[in-house]
Amino acid sequence: MQVNGMVVSSGKAQPVELADAVFAVPYNEALLHQVVVAQLAGLRSGTAAQKNRSAVRGGGRKPWKQKGSGRARAGSIRSPLWRGGGRAFPGVTQNYAQKVNKKMWAGAMRTALAELLRQGRLQIVVVEDFAEPRARWGRDWLQKVGGSDLLLVMDEVPENLFLALRNFPQVGMAGWQDIGPADLLRYGRVLMDAQAAAKFGEVYG
């Protein structure tokens, strides 16, 4: 498969060869959904924690004797019924990660890349690094490529380009090996250099 590369710095657009085994596979919605859900679940921290009556400090002494006081019997001031007591059913830390096989992950990446290309949301670009990390240059560069809300996927992200674009909230930048299906679908468009496209063809083809 050949697509025309978009030049946003200088030079002339050149056709880029893409691997059909990655960028021309049929759409598999069920697989993509399962892997995206698993990826997002793995990002959950799961660090919420509360204390039960045994974890709350204090309460080791019986507040008053069992009988004769006229009050309800009590064994600890850290009972869930008391102010300052532990929770009856406390939240505990938990791991939300879901197991995803390597073949499932590779299949989801293929179907996501192919569908983005079919929808016109995936473009191959040739990008040169900026001479200086200026946000003004980054804004001009975004106007050339058609606005923000994009993910820039490269073999190696140039330092000045990264520094110039990192403060734009709707712009994501990552190396090809650091993204998953959920990252590809998060943005309106995906801009990819030819080197990253070749890497995807080698790894997932």
Side-chain angles (χ1 to χ4, degrees):
M1 176 192 302
Q2 277 194 351
V3 297
N4 289 327
M6 179 177 62
V7 177
V8 292
S9 54
S10 60
K12 186 178 297 184
Q14 298 291 334
V16 179
E17 189 72 25
L18 298 180
D20 289 342
V22 175
F23 294 91
V25 299
Y27 183 51
N28 190 337
E29 182 179 2
L31 174 62
L32 183 60
H33 177 270
Q34 183 176 352
V35 176
V36 167
V37 169
Q39 182 183 354
L40 295 178
L43 296 176
R44 296 182 63 179
S45 59
T47 55
Q50 297 168 323
K51 294 181 179 181
N52 58 14
R53 62 186 299 167
S54 65
V56 178
R57 181 180 176 87
R61 179 175 61 88
K62 187 174 175 66
W64 51 76
K65 63 181 182 178
Q66 179 82 348
K67 306 176 75 67
S69 66
R71 290 176 289 188
R73 53 193 175 185
S76 171
I77 63 172
R78 294 299 179 240
S79 164
L81 304 178
W82 286 54
R83 182 170 179 253
R87 294 292 298 266
F89 301 102
V92 295
T93 58
Q94 49 189 318
N95 183 13
Y96 294 99
Q98 301 178 16
K99 184 178 184 298
V100 176
N101 297 330
K102 290 182 180 180
K103 289 185 178 180
M104 293 175 58
W105 182 271
M109 289 294 293
R110 285 193 291 265
T111 191
L113 291 169
E115 185 64 19
L116 288 173
L117 185 62
R118 279 191 290 267
Q119 294 179 3
R121 295 167 54 192
L122 174 63
Q123 295 174 296
I124 306 299
V125 296
V126 179
V127 183
E128 294 180 357
D129 196 10
F130 298 154
E132 296 181 22
R134 298 295 182 97
R136 175 169 53 85
W137 293 357
R139 184 172 60 251
D140 295 340
W141 184 86
L142 290 175
Q143 291 177 353
K144 288 181 181 179
V145 299
S148 57
D149 190 18
L150 59 88
L151 173 65
L152 183 60
V153 182
M154 307 185 72
D155 186 20
E156 293 184 7
V157 181
E159 182 178 5
N160 288 340
L161 179 68
F162 171 78
L163 295 175
L165 296 175
R166 64 179 176 176
N167 286 334
F168 292 89
Q170 291 183 311
V171 177
M173 292 172 287
W176 67 270
Q177 69 277 13
D178 298 325
I179 63 171
D183 305 309
L184 292 172
L185 302 180
R186 176 184 173 187
Y187 297 88
R189 292 182 301 144
V190 176
L191 303 185
M192 184 182 302
D193 65 358
Q195 293 79 8
K199 291 288 187 181
F200 281 124
E202 294 175 7
V203 174
Y204 298 115

